[in-house]
Amino acid sequence: MKTLIMIISILGFVNLSSCTQKTDVSKLLDNSETRSEIFEAIASDHDYMMSFMESMQSNEHAMQMMQGNRMMMGNMMKGSGMHMMMKDSMMMHDMMGNMMTNKKMMGNMMQMMNDEGMMSNECMQAIMKTMNGKGMNGM
């Protein structure tokens, strides 16, 4: 009788411990409704969004996609976005550092500033001339 109780207890314990399920992230993200809910949860929560942005900044593919997205870069330049970035010295330092090492990003930023009327053609030409003199040609 003791043996039977012991066997049933062990089987019950094994059965209960096997109920833990590992979440398959790919399957969750395949469902567009679930994916939208996840995106909304991240975008709506300050801590989640900060963590997501840090993750994106450390991912080369994500950075290339952001740099190539003229609409997003333009939206950051409009309204209070650029003003907010300038007030955040760490963010401004990071952005300037990225631009100094990425000629294409620097060129895109200057072109957007010119297109938005934030920089005159003469100013843009003067900066390009200075940068070419410092070996940063090719933008």
Side-chain angles (χ1 to χ4, degrees):
M1 187 67 159
K2 284 184 178 181
T3 310
L4 182 61
I5 292 173
M6 184 64 100
I7 291 173
I8 291 174
S9 297
I10 290 173
L11 287 176
F13 179 72
V14 170
N15 192 21
L16 287 175
S17 67
S18 67
C19 288
T20 59
Q21 295 177 344
K22 186 175 180 182
T23 304
D24 186 2
V25 177
S26 296
K27 286 184 180 179
L28 282 174
L29 293 173
D30 282 343
N31 182 329
S32 63
E33 196 172 301
T34 304
R35 185 174 53 242
S36 294
E37 288 179 28
I38 292 170
F39 291 164
E40 182 61 32
I42 291 170
S44 299
D45 185 276
H46 181 78
D47 292 332
Y48 289 162
M49 194 64 193
M50 292 300 290
S51 180
F52 181 69
M53 287 169 44
E54 287 174 14
S55 179
M56 286 179 65
Q57 288 176 346
S58 64
N59 184 298
E60 188 176 332
H61 182 249
M63 290 302 292
Q64 288 174 352
M65 288 189 71
M66 283 192 293
Q67 290 168 3
N69 189 331
R70 288 183 63 88
M71 186 177 95
M72 183 175 67
M73 294 295 278
N75 286 338
M76 286 178 10
M77 296 286 289
K78 291 179 185 172
S80 62
M82 188 64 172
H83 182 62
M84 181 194 73
M85 281 194 294
M86 291 176 128
K87 286 173 89 176
D88 185 344
S89 62
M90 191 67 167
M91 184 183 289
M92 190 67 172
H93 185 266
D94 287 345
M95 186 176 80
M96 294 305 290
N98 285 337
M99 282 194 290
M100 293 305 287
T101 59
N102 187 328
K103 296 174 191 175
K104 184 178 179 191
M105 184 179 181
M106 177 70 92
N108 286 342
M109 183 70 91
M110 287 175 49
Q111 186 64 51
M112 278 188 270
M113 290 175 73
N114 182 263
D115 292 347
E116 295 292 324
M118 298 170 76
M119 179 189 298
S120 68
N121 287 335
E122 295 81 22
C123 181
M124 187 168 159
Q125 294 304 320
I127 291 171
M128 297 284 275
K129 183 178 178 182
T130 302
M131 290 173 66
N132 286 338
K134 294 189 183 264
M136 290 189 68
N137 53 349
M139 284 193 297

